[in-house]
């Protein structure tokens, strides 16, 4: 590619980016969604622009996904921005991090998305679908994930201290080496989950479904056990710990 052609293409990308940024504040939701799709295309056509797009779309979501937003289903522009971020090529992230701190993303559809190392501190995703999403290394401290579907999600090395995971479905989820201290896991479904090397110190597991868990080297100090025994069958069983039992609450 000649220098002149490369410069011309870079200029075109810059123009497309600037136009998309301008349209992100348009009163029309359809126009804003079009701008988001344009930014998604820009990440594909110009990987060097991806960090800027990540920062811009992260800010867009934080600004739009506030308490006034009852669910992402009623805000398709926010859902479109989530899709663009979650389906990018992480190899081009550079130093950019998806930053959705404090966003209200109730009932968000994040299944299969790549949110590795994302900053989700205090984010509300109650009732959402995060099935098979990649959240390795993500920061979910104090996040609200009540009733969220996390089936098969990769949460290895994630930080989920004091997260609200009540009634969350975490069947076959990977929580290896995750930090889940003082998390609220009451009535959560953890059947088949991998908790090897995880830190669950002080977590509340009352009423949780804990069949076929991998507990190798899991820190269960001060864990609150289920108040009742669960059916001892193929799908549920009573709380068990490796080597020595965690102290009663």
């Amino acid at each position: 590619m000649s220098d002149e052609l490369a410069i011309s293409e870079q200029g075109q990308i810059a123009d497309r980016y600037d136009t998309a940024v301008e349209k992100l504040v348009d009163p029309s939701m359809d126009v804003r969604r079009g701008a988001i799709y344009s930014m998604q295309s820009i990440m594909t056509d110009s990987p060097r622009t991806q960090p800027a797009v990540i920062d811009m779309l992260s800010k867009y979501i934080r600004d739009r996904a506030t308490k006034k937003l009852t669910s992402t289903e009623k805000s398709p522009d926010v859902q479109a921005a989530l899709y663009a971020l979650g389906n990018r090529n992480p190899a081009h992230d550079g130093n950019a991090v998806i930053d959705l701190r404090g966003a209200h993303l109730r009932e968000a559809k994040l299944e299969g998305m790549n949110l590795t190392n994302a900053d989700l501190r205090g984010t509300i995703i109650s009732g959402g679908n995060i099935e098979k999403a990649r959240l390795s290394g993500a920061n979910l401290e104090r996040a609200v994930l009540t009733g969220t579907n996390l089936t098969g999600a990769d949460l290895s090395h994630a930080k989920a201290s004091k997260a609200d995971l009540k009634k969350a479905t975490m069947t076959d989820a990977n929580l290896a080496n995750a930090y889940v201290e003082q998390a609220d896991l009451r009535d959560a479904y953890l059947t088949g989950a991998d908790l090897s090397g995880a830190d669950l110190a002080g977590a509340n597991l009352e009423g949780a479904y804990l069949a076929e868990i991998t507990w190798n080297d899991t820190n269960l100090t001060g864990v609150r056990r289920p108040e009742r025994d669960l059916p001892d069958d193929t799908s549920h069983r009573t709380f068990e710990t490796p080597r020595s039992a965690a102290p009663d609450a």
Side-chain angles (χ1 to χ4, degrees), residues 1-18 42 45-49:
M1 181 183 298
S2 66
D3 292 342
E4 292 82 1
L5 182 57
I7 293 172
S8 175
E9 289 190 353
Q10 290 173 15
Q12 291 174 9
I13 291 292
D15 289 342
R16 287 169 58 193
Y17 179 82
D18 290 343
I42 289 170
D45 297 340
S46 176
R48 62 186 297 179
T49 311

Side-chain angles (χ1 to χ4, degrees), residues 44-56:
T44 300
D45 297 340
S46 176
R48 62 186 297 179
T49 311
Q50 183 159 305
V53 173
I54 291 173
D55 291 342
M56 184 59 65

Side-chain angles (χ1 to χ4, degrees), residues 15-137:
D15 289 342
R16 287 169 58 193
Y17 179 82
D18 290 343
T19 299
V21 170
E22 291 175 1
K23 291 182 177 180
L24 282 177
V25 296
D26 193 278
S28 169
M29 182 179 293
D30 288 338
V31 172
R32 297 197 303 272
R33 287 176 68 188
I36 291 165
Y37 296 143
S38 178
M39 285 197 159
Q40 184 176 14
S41 177
I42 289 170
M43 284 194 288
T44 300
D45 297 340
S46 176
R48 62 186 297 179
T49 311
Q50 183 159 305
V53 173
I54 291 173
D55 291 342
M56 184 59 65
L57 291 183
S58 293
K59 183 179 185 303
Y60 181 86
I61 293 170
R62 293 197 308 273
D63 290 345
R64 293 279 173 178
T66 63
K67 290 182 180 179
K68 294 180 180 179
L69 183 68
T70 56
S71 73
T72 57
E73 185 177 356
K74 297 181 179 180
S75 190
D77 56 329
V78 170
Q79 184 62 58
L82 288 169
Y83 183 87
L85 289 176
N87 289 279
R88 77 206 183 285
N89 183 346
H92 304 143
D93 285 355
N95 294 323
V97 174
I98 295 173
D99 183 355
L100 305 180
R101 286 174 293 172
H104 290 244
L105 302 173
R106 293 179 181 86
E107 302 176 9
K109 297 177 176 61
L110 306 172
E111 58 267 35
M113 292 189 185
N114 193 324
L115 298 170
T116 302
N117 296 320
D119 192 341
L120 300 166
R121 285 175 288 174
T123 304
I124 298 173
I125 319 178
S126 51
N129 187 352
I130 315 182
E131 183 176 0
K132 296 183 179 179
R134 284 162 284 180
L135 289 153
S136 179

